[in-house]
Amino acid sequence: MSRKSGTDFARLMTFSPDEASGNYAFLYRDLPQLPADSQEVRLLWLNPGSFDDDIVSSLVKGDLDSNDYEALSYTWEESGHSGPLGAEWESETEWEDVDDSDDPQVEEVVSGSDNQAGSVQGETSTSGAQTPDQPSNEKQITVNGFTIGVKPNLEIALRHLRYENRTRTLWIDYLCINQGNIADRNAQVRRMDSIYMKASQVIIWLGLPTEDSGRGLEEIYALTANIHLSKLYSAERSQNRLLDRIKPVVHLLSRSWFQRVWVVQEVALAKQATVQIGSRTAPWDWFVKAARVVQEHMLCCADTIHPFIDDRGGDYFLSYRGCWASILALDIGTRDNPALHMALRLFYNRLATDPRDKVYGLLGLLKPSERLVLPDYALSPLEVYEETASKIMELSKDLSILMDIDELAGDVDVPSWCPDWTTNSVGGVELYDFYNAAGDSTTSVQRCSAHTLKIQGLIFDTVTRVDADAYDDTIESELWEAYLRLRSWESFAKIPSDGESTYPAGGSRSMAFWQTVLMGLDADRTRQLQHSDLDHYKTWRAWLENYAQKGPTHRKAFLETGSRNPNIRKHNQLLKQYPAARWFFLTDDGYMGMGPVEMEQEDVVCVLAGAKTPFILRAIDERCEVCQLDQCCYRLKGFAYVHGIMNGETVAGIKRQEEVWNELCLR
């Protein structure tokens, strides 16, 4: 590409003003078309100027292998911060305004200005391949001699990125992809991994500074020293002083950039990445190192920090841990080349305006052999999700993706066997490999119509009772509600006081109940239960009964004392999760299980060939269009733990009786 000045190139690219409408397709009309199988892209030449000058730029054709350029990673809009969960924290400590220019650890950008007028309002997380709406709050820039509108966050980023005395070459998705042309959009999105991989650096634009963003960077830099959190925060002996250290980090890491799905590959593939806030920069490596330190020291230092955190401050502390977990996931995505299903799980809570980008935005992380689908914006979100889910199961012979089925209503009306990744919710795949319900059987999956999946399975039993009692929202605490629910389970599971009645799979019902409540795993969810774990359960159960005997005014103090015991704390946390995630149930033959919250009486327990857990299915009372049979169609409700069939017992029974797997259709 011959390098002309931006002004000269703009003179060559002239169009009549009446073409300046729609999605700015006129910008690309007279530029050479980009072959779909080439390394050619469009690049933006950002003309030099002072901070307040109009922004003038040119789109030119470039080659990824021969041009030096920087890629921008950003969101359409960025805002200032608020407290976690929308809450504002009022500190006892009065901070003086910090002049970030005095921060010795934060670099000055070569160009730019400190003329910054606060943050842009409105926070929206979007995809790098999404065509934005054209709202009234757009800012004007000049591209190829025409004035066009861009989002305020991009306009202010360009002001800070612009050099005063020389042209800067950038790749920016909104301008360098013809968003109105599906063929161009498909081709450019398919090569976005190369675009970010071959950029000289990726600039992570986080928006304008706030009053505490400089302090946030200081705290992040302090964490890179790899010292214990208890030592780092040793001087902060009150909640407010501790949170005055934590808040700026939470505010900084809560910016919308960290929630966006496209940034995952943009950062993971970068040769070098630099974070920019206003006119100041810091290396992305700071954030990664700090995340690793927090992960390493959080558990061992938690007992030093927890005594100063009450329920109000707990929101911030949880946000602090969650923000670093998000950074750590980005670090893992950089190193591990995950399979598509694991990438979808690892970044399930990342946001995208276009639902298709929940899949497409992660493909650049994968090895070419793992890219089971290709970006195609001619397909609907439903078609993309069905194709993705079915190919994962068909090609990997792995049904763990069914663990992600969630009854939460998302933005895409998917069949029951297909995850809706817009719900930002995942199931229990981390538990999947602890079990082996289908033994050594092999998965057989066939997508036999647009919304129907044919699969082999065995109907094991019918659900006869589900603990679906709803407790009053005004109940005093989550733990008290969980205690009442546990008592309810014990009652309708008919656990005798002497614990001697027999369970269908062998052993006593009381032993089966204990193992069912814990879903066969220790409280840390790291291994299968051992007999020695029964003592931990009994200790906790006795403590819980003592807790229940206390009056409401004394329970809080009793809980604080008990929570110092790791065994009691872990069991409490586990039990509190169940009302929203798992329900206890019984089957016709007397088996006990934990299943999805949407399950009902008359649902069936099914072992699918090749699956490691049973699943709850609901019969569809209509003739199957595929098999032309009356009783082969089901809707999948979610995975289940059923004590006594988690280690291949059902499959062993099939072999002994020479039965065969049934063909089932999931819709």
Side-chain angles (χ1 to χ4, degrees):
M1 178 179 72
S2 61
R3 191 175 183 85
K4 301 180 176 68
S5 73
T7 303
D8 290 340
F9 191 86
R11 280 198 208 100
L12 298 175
M13 305 295 293
T14 56
F15 305 94
S16 60
D18 59 4
E19 291 180 283
S21 61
N23 56 32
Y24 308 124
F26 60 90
L27 289 176
Y28 313 96
R29 190 191 66 183
D30 289 350
L31 282 172
Q33 295 299 306
L34 302 179
D37 57 352
S38 76
Q39 290 294 299
E40 293 178 338
V41 294
R42 300 180 191 91
L43 297 174
L44 185 79
W45 283 355
L46 181 59
N47 285 11
S50 61
F51 186 83
D52 291 325
D53 288 347
D54 291 341
I55 295 172
V56 179
S57 61
S58 304
L59 274 178
V60 297
K61 187 176 76 169
D63 188 281
L64 294 180
D65 293 322
S66 58
N67 289 117
D68 186 20
Y69 65 95
E70 299 164 286
L72 184 64
S73 178
Y74 70 111
T75 61
W76 294 124
E77 295 190 30
E78 182 60 72
S79 72
H81 63 72
S82 63
L85 308 179
E88 292 291 343
W89 175 261
E90 295 184 1
S91 169
E92 294 175 347
T93 306
E94 293 295 332
W95 286 91
E96 295 181 0
D97 289 339
V98 175
D99 180 358
D100 288 342
S101 63
D102 294 331
D103 179 3
Q105 303 299 340
V106 181
E107 303 168 10
E108 282 289 346
V109 172
V110 175
S111 68
S113 166
D114 288 332
N115 181 15
Q116 298 146 356
S119 61
V120 180
Q121 295 303 310
E123 182 171 338
T124 306
S125 181
T126 68
S127 75
Q130 170 68 13
T131 305
D133 297 329
Q134 306 294 326
S136 59
N137 67 341
E138 286 184 336
K139 300 291 185 178
Q140 304 300 310
I141 68 170
T142 299
V143 182
N144 291 349
F146 281 91
T147 299
I148 68 170
V150 297
K151 293 281 190 174
N153 192 44
L154 176 55
E155 190 263 357
I156 198 66
L158 291 172
R159 291 192 180 279
H160 286 86
L161 292 171
R162 177 170 52 185
Y163 293 138
E164 289 188 355
N165 301 311
R166 57 191 174 95
T167 299
R168 192 167 192 175
T169 304
L170 300 166
W171 188 90
I172 301 173
D173 56 2
Y174 177 60
L175 297 171
C176 296
I177 298 176
N178 183 353
Q179 304 282 358
N181 184 298
I182 288 180
D184 187 73
R185 194 175 170 195
N186 289 344
Q188 295 302 304
V189 170
R190 290 176 186 181
R191 67 179 60 140
M192 280 180 69
D193 57 339
S194 297
I195 290 170
Y196 280 91
M197 193 181 300
K198 295 183 178 183
S200 60
Q201 78 162 335
V202 172
I203 304 162
I204 300 169
W205 172 254
L206 294 187
L208 293 171
T210 59
E211 62 182 8
D212 66 356
S213 57
R215 292 200 301 276
L217 285 174
E218 290 172 3
E219 290 294 333
I220 290 170
Y221 179 75
L223 285 166
T224 64
N226 194 20
I227 61 176
H228 284 283
L229 301 183
S230 54
K231 183 176 181 180
L232 182 63
Y233 299 132
S234 60
E236 322 307 340
R237 309 302 293 179
S238 72
Q239 173 166 276
N240 285 343
R241 289 182 61 83
L242 178 60
L243 292 181
D244 279 334
R245 299 280 302 273
I246 290 175
K247 275 198 307 177
V249 177
V250 173
H251 295 157
L252 186 57
L253 301 185
S254 296
R255 294 192 179 207
S256 63
W257 182 88
F258 292 95
Q259 302 165 27
R260 177 174 168 253
V261 70
W262 278 102
V263 308
V264 175
Q265 70 168 2
E266 292 167 4
V267 171
L269 301 174
K271 296 176 185 174
Q272 174 182 320
T274 301
V275 175
Q276 184 160 341
I277 304 171
S279 61
R280 316 201 190 298
T281 67
W284 173 249
D285 285 348
W286 284 8
F287 292 73
V288 174
K289 290 178 181 177
R292 293 172 182 170
V293 169
V294 172
Q295 180 198 38
E296 180 179 353
H297 293 291
M298 182 57 72
L299 290 179
C300 63
C301 298
D303 290 340
T304 305
I305 297 173
H306 280 161
F308 307 109
I309 304 294
D310 62 17
D311 290 342
R312 292 190 309 146
D315 285 344
Y316 264 102
F317 198 64
L318 287 174
S319 294
Y320 180 78
R321 296 182 65 172
C323 288
W324 285 121
S326 177
I327 303 293
L328 198 65
L330 283 172
D331 182 35
I332 294 171
T334 304
R335 295 181 283 113
D336 288 358
N337 290 115
L340 178 54
H341 177 211
M342 294 313 298
L344 288 166
R345 284 196 54 81
L346 192 59
F347 303 108
Y348 73 93
N349 58 352
R350 299 281 171 162
L351 303 180
T353 298
D354 187 329
R356 295 168 290 192
D357 288 334
K358 294 281 282 190
V359 175
Y360 295 162
L362 298 173
L363 295 178
L365 293 177
L366 314 179
K367 297 176 182 178
S369 61
E370 295 288 349
R371 298 177 191 178
L372 307 182
V373 295
L374 292 175
D376 184 353
Y377 289 95
L379 299 177
S380 69
L382 173 60
E383 291 171 317
V384 172
Y385 284 17
E386 286 189 355
E387 180 186 16
T388 301
S390 62
K391 282 191 174 179
I392 287 174
M393 288 185 278
E394 289 172 13
L395 299 178
S396 68
K397 304 298 182 183
D398 180 1
L399 298 184
S400 61
I401 193 173
L402 298 179
M403 301 286 280
D404 292 342
I405 300 301
D406 195 309
E407 289 296 310
L408 293 175
D411 296 332
V412 182
D413 187 14
V414 294
S416 69
W417 53 266
C418 180
D420 180 356
W421 287 290
T422 65
T423 62
N424 298 322
S425 177
V426 292
V429 76
E430 69 280 358
L431 311 179
Y432 190 70
D433 287 332
F434 288 111
Y435 311 119
N436 192 26
D440 60 359
S441 61
T442 303
T443 297
S444 175
V445 175
Q446 178 186 359
R447 189 179 174 197
C448 48
S449 71
H451 311 302
T452 303
L453 195 74
K454 182 174 285 189
I455 194 166
Q456 291 183 329
L458 178 69
I459 304 301
F460 171 74
D461 206 349
T462 301
V463 175
T464 56
R465 186 169 179 183
V466 180
D467 176 50
D469 295 332
Y471 293 101
D472 194 323
D473 289 340
T474 62
I475 208 156
E476 65 180 70
S477 72
E478 286 181 320
L479 184 59
W480 181 246
E481 178 183 355
Y483 166 75
L484 295 177
R485 190 173 291 273
L486 182 62
R487 288 293 301 271
S488 172
W489 295 350
E490 291 171 335
S491 174
F492 84 73
K494 298 179 180 178
I495 305 301
S497 58
D498 60 11
E500 292 300 326
S501 66
T502 303
Y503 187 70
S508 69
R509 291 188 68 80
S510 59
M511 288 289 287
F513 179 80
W514 156 62
Q515 294 177 79
T516 301
V517 167
L518 295 181
M519 296 176 64
L521 303 176
D522 71 318
D524 284 324
R525 296 327 213 198
T526 58
R527 58 173 173 78
Q528 290 191 337
L529 283 173
Q530 301 169 359
H531 195 272
S532 59
D533 293 314
L534 179 59
D535 292 335
H536 296 309
Y537 176 81
K538 288 180 175 178
T539 299
W540 166 72
R541 187 65 185 84
W543 176 90
L544 190 62
E545 202 61 46
N546 287 334
Y547 165 83
Q549 299 304 319
K550 304 292 181 184
T553 57
H554 299 289
R555 287 194 189 114
K556 183 176 180 180
F558 190 75
L559 175 59
E560 290 175 355
T561 302
S563 294
R564 294 171 190 165
N565 181 316
N567 173 55
I568 291 174
R569 182 171 66 243
K570 291 170 186 175
H571 279 83
N572 284 346
Q573 291 171 346
L574 195 61
L575 186 64
K576 287 191 292 186
Q577 295 172 8
Y578 281 156
R582 298 280 103 190
W583 280 354
F584 188 87
F585 67 89
L586 298 175
T587 71
D588 263 348
D589 291 336
Y591 282 82
M592 303 178 194
M594 301 293 293
V597 295
E598 293 297 320
M599 66 183 301
E600 297 176 356
Q601 189 174 337
E602 302 301 326
D603 287 345
V604 296
V605 176
C606 180
V607 176
L608 299 175
K612 295 189 176 184
T613 69
F615 289 87
I616 301 298
L617 306 183
R618 184 168 301 163
I620 299 175
D621 189 19
E622 58 186 54
R623 190 172 184 81
C624 177
E625 297 177 356
V626 175
C627 302
Q628 296 301 310
L629 298 175
D630 291 328
Q631 296 181 335
C632 74
C633 288
Y634 295 86
R635 287 192 174 88
L636 190 147
K637 307 308 291 183
F639 78 96
Y641 175 91
V642 181
H643 187 67
I645 68 167
M646 301 302 293
N647 293 300
E649 295 89 344
T650 303
V651 176
I654 290 178
K655 291 180 178 178
R656 285 195 300 269
Q657 300 174 34
E658 297 184 353
E659 297 181 23
V660 296
W661 294 94
N662 298 319
E663 295 286 345
L664 308 175
C665 288
L666 300 181
R667 291 165 57 183

